[in-house]
Amino acid sequence: MLADPAGRDARRMSRRIPLKRILVALTSVVAVAALAVGALFTWLWTGSDVSTVGTERFGNRLAIPPLAASSVDEDGTRVFDLRMQTGETEFERGRRTPTYGFNGSYLGPTLRAERGERVRVRIRNELGEASSVHWHGMHLPARMDGGPHQSIAPGAAWSPHWTVDQPAATLWYHPHPHGATERHVRKGLAGLFLLDDEKSDELALPKKYGVDDVPVIVQDVRFDGAELDNGRNIFQSVGFLGDRTMVNGTLGPYQEVGDELIRLRLLNASTTRTYAFGFPDGRPFSLIGTDGGLLERPAAMERVQLSPGERAEIVVRMEAGERVVLRSFPQDNYGDAWQRRFSGGEDSFDVLELRAADRLRPSPGLPAALAGPGLSELPDDADAVRGRYFDLKRTGINGRTMDMGRIDETVTRGTTEVWTVRNADGMPHNFHVHDVRFRVVEVNGSAPPPPLRGPKDTVFLPNGTTMKLALRFDGPADRDTPYMYHCHLLYHEDEGMMGQFVVVEKGERAGTPAGHAGGHGAGHAEHGAGHEKDR
C-alpha cells in the first residue's frame, strides 16, 4: 500500500497546533502574572510612604500625664503604686479602643524622684496575663531591673526597691516580657520616670512640669475600626509602622505656650519607628539632654533623630502669637532606597502644634554650662580593661538568639569596657544596654556628632554603621541575675535579638538564672525583689 504524504503532514500539523497553543497560553499566563506582580509591587511601593504633613488638624489639647502620687515610709523610702490594667480609651470621639495602661486605660503617670532617694514601686498586675515593668535607663540592681526574669503573674504583685544613684535625666518605664514586649508597649503600657538632682535644680532651665517643661511621648498608631491595628506589609522587616502619630495618647495634639522658652522632653515610645524631629521653618533649637542626662553645654540644632527608646530634651524659643509644628522629617541616613521606602525612612509626620499666647512670660537665657566639664560621671574609653564585639542581625546578636537560661557575657564589677557594635544586616537596628549610661566614643571611626556626645543608653545604628561605646559596670554584683542588651525595635527583640550579661566580683564566674534551664519562662520570686501573693 502506498504511503500518503499529505495525510502524514496533516497529522503532524494537528500535533503541532496544540503545542503552539499551549506555548502561547503559557506565555500569556506568565505575562499576565508578571504584570500582576509588577502592579502589586508598584501598589506596595507607592503606598508604603506615609505623610501627615499639612493634613493634621490639631484639634485636641495635649494630655499631660499626671505626676504620680507617692508616700514616704518611716525609713524615708518614697513609695509609688502602679496598677497594670486593661481598659478602653476614646482616642476619637465615639470610638472606644481596647487598651492597656498603668493606673488608667492608657499610658501611665509620671514618676519623679531625687538623686539619693530610696524608692519603692508597688506594682500589681491586673492584665490577665503575665508581664513585667522595666526601668529603662535606671542604674539599679539586676533583681530590680524589671526585665524578662522579673515576670509578674496575673493577679500577683512585685515591689522593686533601690536608691537613685545617677544624675538628673528623663527615663521611662515599660513592660519587658520575653516574646510579648512589642504588643504590651503598643497597647499602651509606658510612662515617664523623671530624675532630679541638686545641680539641675539650680540651673536656669524651664522646669514647671506641664507648663514650660512638657513631656512628649510620641507613638505611631494605625486603627482597624476601633481596634489598634498591628499588621505589617510583607516588606516591613523592621516591625509595625503606623500611619499616624499621637503624643501622650492624644491624636492631633496642640500645646498652649505661655513662656518664651519651652522645654520638650521627647521620648520615642514607638515600637519600631525612628523619627527626625525639627520644625518646618528650620528654626534652631537647643539640645540640652539625651537619654541619661544633661549635655556639657547646650547644642544648637535643627534636627534630632530618635530611634525607639531614645530620649532628648530640647528647648525651643517662641514668639508671641505664633503657631509652630513639631515635625518628623524623612531621614537620609536610614539605609538604601528599599529600606527608606518600606522601613519608614521616607515618612513624615506633623506631630504636635505649639500655640504661643499673645503675650509671653520672659524666660532667662539658657546656661552656658549644664553638666560640668567633661561629663565626668561618664566612663572614659582610656580606662577600658577589655573590648567586646556585637554583630547585630535580625536572626540574633553574634549569631545567637535569646535564651533565658544562657549567660552571654560576664563583666567584672568596677571595670570599664569598650563595646564595638556593628550593623551590616541590610536594615536598621538600634542597641540598648540595661543598667548603664555609656559614652559613644566613635561612629564609623569618627568622633560622634552632638546628639551622641551626652550620656546614652540606646543608640540608632542604620545599616553600615559601627559604633564604639565605653561602659562602666558599677554593680552591685549578682552572678545569677542578668541584665539585657538588645535591639529596641521591639519586633526584633521579641524575635530573639537580645542577649544577657551578669556583673560579678573579680575572679567570680557567672551562675545560672534561677528557673531557666533554657527557653522562655517566668521570673522568680526568691531573689528578694518583693514578689508578693495577691491578697
Side-chain angles (χ1 to χ4, degrees), residues 19-235:
L19 180 59
K20 285 184 178 180
R21 288 176 177 170
I22 290 171
L23 291 174
V24 169
L26 285 174
T27 301
S28 299
V29 169
V30 170
V32 170
L35 288 172
V37 170
L40 175 62
F41 179 79
T42 300
W43 177 75
L44 287 171
W45 179 270
T46 57
S48 290
D49 61 327
V50 177
S51 175
T52 63
V53 170
T55 64
E56 196 62 75
R57 291 181 294 175
F58 298 114
N60 300 309
R61 184 186 296 272
L62 178 67
I64 302 296
L67 289 171
S70 64
S71 59
V72 180
D73 282 352
E74 292 182 357
D75 65 357
T77 299
R78 183 169 299 281
V79 181
F80 299 94
D81 288 284
L82 291 178
R83 183 177 66 256
M84 307 171 75
Q85 62 184 76
T86 61
E88 291 184 326
T89 303
E90 198 169 290
F91 297 108
E92 295 182 318
R93 190 181 302 275
R95 294 203 312 180
R96 302 189 65 82
T97 299
T99 52
Y100 288 174
F102 292 99
N103 298 0
S105 67
Y106 193 79
L107 297 181
T110 297
L111 279 61
R112 194 156 201 168
E114 290 272 349
R115 186 172 194 173
E117 273 195 303
R118 293 191 299 274
V119 299
R120 178 184 295 272
V121 187
R122 299 184 300 210
I123 305 164
R124 188 167 299 279
N125 180 4
E126 297 179 359
L127 293 178
E129 61 175 308
S131 192
S132 70
V133 182
H134 166 55
W135 316 105
H136 186 124
M138 193 75 74
H139 173 54
L140 75 179
R143 298 177 184 184
M144 313 296 171
D145 184 55
H149 290 276
Q150 289 86 46
S151 181
I152 312 170
W158 182 50
S159 297
H161 51 89
W162 67 94
T163 298
V164 176
D165 186 19
Q166 61 195 97
T170 300
L171 312 184
W172 66 303
Y173 60 95
H174 64 80
H176 213 304
H178 188 30
T181 298
E182 190 275 342
R183 180 170 59 87
H184 286 200
V185 173
R186 182 178 47 77
K187 287 179 72 70
L189 289 172
L192 288 176
F193 200 138
L194 305 185
L195 300 183
D196 302 303
D197 61 20
E198 289 184 1
K199 182 170 182 59
S200 68
D201 290 343
E202 294 171 355
L203 292 172
L205 294 172
K207 53 173 63 82
K208 296 186 290 289
Y209 179 79
V211 180
D212 64 355
D213 183 0
V214 179
V216 181
I217 303 172
V218 183
Q219 299 168 291
D220 62 332
V221 293
R222 186 172 59 238
F223 291 95
D224 181 5
E227 302 280 334
L228 288 172
D229 192 3
N230 66 345
R232 298 178 298 109
N233 76 37
I234 58 175
F235 300 126

Side-chain angles (χ1 to χ4, degrees), residues 58 62 216 247 253-255 264 324-326 350-354:
F58 298 114
L62 178 67
V216 181
V247 179
Y254 68 88
Q255 172 68 14
L264 303 179
V324 63
V325 172
L326 178 69
D350 280 351
V351 177
L352 170 67
E353 185 178 68
L354 302 177

